[in-house]
Amino acid sequence: MIAAIKPAGSNTRGLLAYLYDPGRHDEHTDPHIVAGFAMLGMPDPGRDQDATLTQLARHLDAPVHLRNSEFGKKVTDHVWHCPVRTAPEDRHLSDAEWADIAQRIVEAAGIAPPGDDLGCRWIAVRHADDHIHILATTVREDGRRPKLHDSGIRVGDACRQIEKDYGLCQLKKGDRTAARRPTQAEMHKAQRLGWEQSSRDWLQNRIRAAIPHANSAEELLAYLQADGIAVKPRRGPSGDLLGYAVGRPGDLNKDGEQIFHPGGRIAPDLTLPKLKARLEAGQPEEHPTARRDRPTTPWHQATDALDTLHTGMADDTHAQAHITALGELIEATAQKAPTHLHAELRAASRAFARAQRSQIRAENQAAHTLRKAARDIAHTATGPGGSALAALLAALVWATIVAARWHEANNHAHQTEAARQALQHLKTAAGHALAPVLDSLAARQPNEQACQILAHDVRAAIPNHADRILTDLAWPALATVLADAEAGGHQPHQLLKEAAAQRELTTARQPARVLITRIQHNSRNPAPTPRAEAARRRTTTRVHATGRGAYATQPAATPVTANPINRPRL
């Protein structure tokens, strides 16, 4: 059940005319009052042919007119409007049930507090099966104004309880971090102009797409302006930026003037102060374990940056900063990924936008490394190699799982759901990116004897998950990755342990796939020559010492001749 409180101006009769008219498409049927502050003597134009809208408006406005006649300063904007709608899958409620719901909502809002006979005048009009409209005039019978501060939160809480009491579809509790829904006027305008989105939704997507490209608020506005968006900065006498508003090209008012929307009215996290905090956070000292000897691309650097996410989740303010920056990295990846992945990654970015913000203040400096990775991809990345992109997408999947778990632990219901929606899109994209990599690796599967040796490494390094890994359809590809790594001087046993430590495998449906991307990423640099020689000597010794045994899991395949581990048996 959704109750949307709307300021409705000062024209009580005008709103009544809408509630009692047939609607633009004759969707309003049988309009009538189901509840009110005092039903006795209430004129109802829907039930009494002699009653008029003007009579009803005067009846509701009586305390307003009395106060305005007694005090010098007149009350304006006194009309309070709250449509209350059930979900499409909910049953149709009776008039008596709607009357009880309306009474509970006006009590929660402060329009008519329980036990208070001097509350505001109000009515609830029903003109459809699935919703009512509550109209009130916000001057009490004693001439005072009602206390409506935070009424939206109280009404939302009342709706959650009503859903339980009436067995209706239960929605998640709001936390005041959601973007504003498009108004009916905005949706109708978008439909009339042939736009798929309302102006504010469209502008929100464009601003979020621009964030990874900017290092300051000024750069962000310049980028938006270069992208064809109308920008209206608000500056102080010194020239400092104090605020901003943006407009969609072609979105004009009745006088042909550009319509502008302030950032805070587009989404709560797009106000100028919050954007400055994100974009202009100082750079912390480099992490002491940062690798300096690894030549990397922006794709590899982003995967490395995601490895720091776990350590940054211990403190809530740091966790919120990392999750915000994670959304920027998903957006940057969506912009630079191959065309066949754009749809899924853009859907993931849009879904994750809701998960980026909560009531917890972000310590943005803590996520500098992750945010820098997003900037590097947006500014310098070229087409990624298959394995580099697959590794990054797999890391994004895991990071999104971590974000969803953090939100869930903090009872952030909307953000948890948004992260899970983004996760599904990321998993699909990761599967598409990894498929050609798996095919290529499986085609070079090591011979049976080498697979036996590598299977022994799996059982020794990850005993709790060995059976699932060795029966995974991606095991031949993982065997190839391990063989290639050992040929480069790495130790498969150690690589497996490191990869398993970076991402727990209990919840992984395909653990071999998870290990492939991690091991490819960790072993992409050749080891020093002495280590490589030692590894080759160890391999030779093991091949002599190990015969066909219990670890054989694959039939013989064409050997990879470039890999010493696949040398024929002597």
Side-chain angles (χ1 to χ4, degrees):
M1 174 176 288
I2 295 176
I5 298 174
K6 302 177 179 180
S10 57
N11 189 352
T12 304
R13 192 191 183 286
L15 180 54
L16 288 172
Y18 165 74
L19 299 182
Y20 278 90
D21 75 10
R24 294 188 177 184
H25 306 286
D26 294 326
E27 69 274 19
H28 298 172
T29 59
D30 187 24
H32 60 281
I33 296 174
V34 295
F37 72 99
M39 294 297 288
L40 185 63
M42 179 84 70
D44 184 359
R47 287 289 184 264
D48 184 354
Q49 294 182 352
D50 295 328
T52 66
L53 296 178
T54 300
Q55 288 175 332
L56 180 56
R58 287 174 178 170
H59 194 59
L60 293 169
D61 282 339
V64 181
H65 294 318
L66 182 60
R67 175 182 169 123
N68 286 345
S69 66
E70 293 181 353
F71 295 92
K73 186 176 181 180
K74 292 188 176 182
V75 174
T76 59
D77 297 331
H78 62 270
V79 182
W80 187 87
H81 179 208
C82 181
V84 185
R85 186 182 300 272
T86 56
E89 58 268 30
D90 285 333
R91 63 183 177 86
H92 290 168
L93 302 175
S94 67
D95 280 0
E97 289 173 319
W98 275 121
D100 175 61
I101 290 170
Q103 184 70 50
R104 293 168 68 168
I105 287 177
V106 294
E107 288 180 356
I111 292 293
D116 186 351
D117 295 332
L118 300 177
C120 299
R121 296 192 175 190
W122 63 275
I123 57 171
V125 176
R126 181 178 188 179
H127 60 202
D129 289 331
D130 63 347
H131 69 278
I132 60 172
H133 290 260
I134 304 175
L135 183 158
T137 52
T138 56
V139 174
R140 292 164 46 87
E141 296 288 351
D142 57 9
R144 295 186 293 120
R145 302 301 298 273
K147 297 179 180 179
L148 301 179
H149 181 67
D150 286 337
S151 59
I153 297 176
R154 297 193 300 273
V155 168
D157 291 341
C159 286
R160 304 294 81 78
Q161 188 59 49
I162 290 169
E163 290 162 356
K164 295 178 182 178
D165 295 343
Y166 281 90
L168 304 177
C169 178
Q170 294 188 21
L171 303 182
K172 298 176 177 65
K173 183 177 179 180
D175 61 358
R176 305 176 77 179
T177 62
R180 294 189 178 190
R181 294 177 179 271
T183 65
Q184 288 288 337
E186 289 174 330
M187 290 190 290
H188 289 156
K189 185 175 186 177
Q191 185 178 14
R192 186 174 69 252
L193 295 176
W195 294 340
E196 294 182 359
Q197 295 176 300
S198 68
S199 290
R200 282 190 290 123
D201 285 344
W202 185 86
L203 288 167
Q204 179 180 179
N205 290 336
R206 301 306 283 263
I207 294 173
R208 295 195 189 283
I211 287 174
H213 296 267
N215 290 308
S216 68
E218 294 281 6
E219 282 188 20
L220 177 65
L221 297 186
Y223 186 92
L224 292 173
Q225 200 161 22
D227 198 31
I229 296 171
V231 176
K232 184 168 70 172
R234 181 168 58 87
R235 299 185 183 276
S238 64
D240 292 341
L241 186 63
L242 302 179
Y244 78 101
V246 290
R248 181 178 189 173
D251 187 11
L252 309 177
N253 62 18
K254 62 181 180 180
D255 297 323
E257 300 170 338
Q258 176 69 56
I259 296 175
F260 287 93
H261 301 271
R265 299 223 178 146
I266 295 173
D269 59 334
L270 297 183
T271 62
L272 181 65
K274 290 183 178 180
L275 286 174
K276 280 187 172 182
R278 286 168 63 177
L279 298 174
E280 300 171 11
Q283 181 175 358
E285 296 182 3
E286 187 173 5
H287 195 279
T289 61
R291 300 185 180 184
R292 301 175 180 273
D293 59 344
R294 174 179 286 182
T296 60
T297 67
W299 305 96
H300 291 124
Q301 290 171 353
T303 306
D304 286 337
L306 286 168
D307 290 341
T308 67
L309 189 66
H310 262 306
T311 58
M313 301 299 285
D315 180 88
D316 281 348
T317 60
H318 290 191
Q320 180 59 62
H322 279 87
I323 290 173
T324 302
L326 174 60
E328 297 173 22
L329 181 55
I330 295 173
E331 173 60 37
T333 304
Q335 295 178 22
K336 294 290 187 172
T339 304
H340 69 284
L341 300 177
H342 280 179
E344 291 293 345
L345 290 175
R346 283 172 178 161
S349 178
R350 290 175 183 176
F352 197 78
R354 183 69 178 87
Q356 283 183 270
R357 55 186 182 267
S358 73
Q359 289 286 7
I360 296 176
R361 181 188 63 83
E363 181 57 60
N364 289 288
Q365 187 180 31
H368 176 83
T369 302
L370 199 56
R371 185 164 286 111
K372 181 178 182 300
R375 302 289 182 273
D376 289 344
I377 287 180
H379 289 152
T380 64
T382 55
S387 61
L389 179 61
L392 175 56
L393 292 182
L396 286 173
V397 166
W398 176 234
T400 306
I401 291 173
V402 173
R405 290 177 178 175
W406 181 80
H407 279 309
E408 186 174 23
N410 284 276
N411 298 315
H412 300 160
H414 295 279
Q415 291 85 343
T416 302
E417 179 61 25
R420 288 172 177 167
Q421 290 176 6
L423 179 61
Q424 297 309 312
H425 293 294
L426 287 171
K427 284 182 175 179
T428 301
H432 292 332
L434 189 57
V437 176
L438 292 178
D439 292 341
S440 175
L441 291 170
R444 299 190 295 110
Q445 178 184 354
N447 61 30
E448 183 179 3
Q449 185 178 12
C451 284
Q452 292 176 15
I453 298 171
L454 294 171
H456 178 76
D457 277 324
V458 171
R459 293 188 181 279
I462 320 174
N464 294 336
H465 302 284
D467 290 338
R468 294 175 59 225
I469 294 169
L470 298 175
T471 55
D472 192 325
L473 294 177
W475 162 243
L478 175 58
T480 303
V481 170
L482 291 170
D484 289 347
E486 187 163 22
H490 297 281
Q491 298 180 12
H493 178 273
Q494 185 61 31
L495 287 173
L496 286 164
K497 291 182 68 175
E498 289 177 359
Q502 288 173 321
R503 202 286 204 196
E504 57 88 12
L505 300 177
T506 302
T507 58
R509 291 184 296 111
Q510 296 173 302
R513 288 190 174 206
V514 173
L515 293 172
I516 285 170
T517 56
R518 297 306 315 178
I519 290 173
Q520 277 193 320
H521 180 73
N522 292 343
S523 65
R524 65 187 184 276
N525 288 333
T529 302
R531 183 179 178 184
E533 291 296 329
R536 281 193 284 272
R537 286 196 297 272
R538 183 175 70 85
T539 300
T540 303
T541 304
R542 289 170 62 193
V543 170
H544 279 295
T546 307
R548 297 179 183 270
Y551 302 118
T553 60
Q554 297 288 341
T558 304
V560 183
T561 56
N563 192 333
I565 197 171
N566 296 312
R567 63 180 62 180
R569 297 179 66 187
L570 301 177

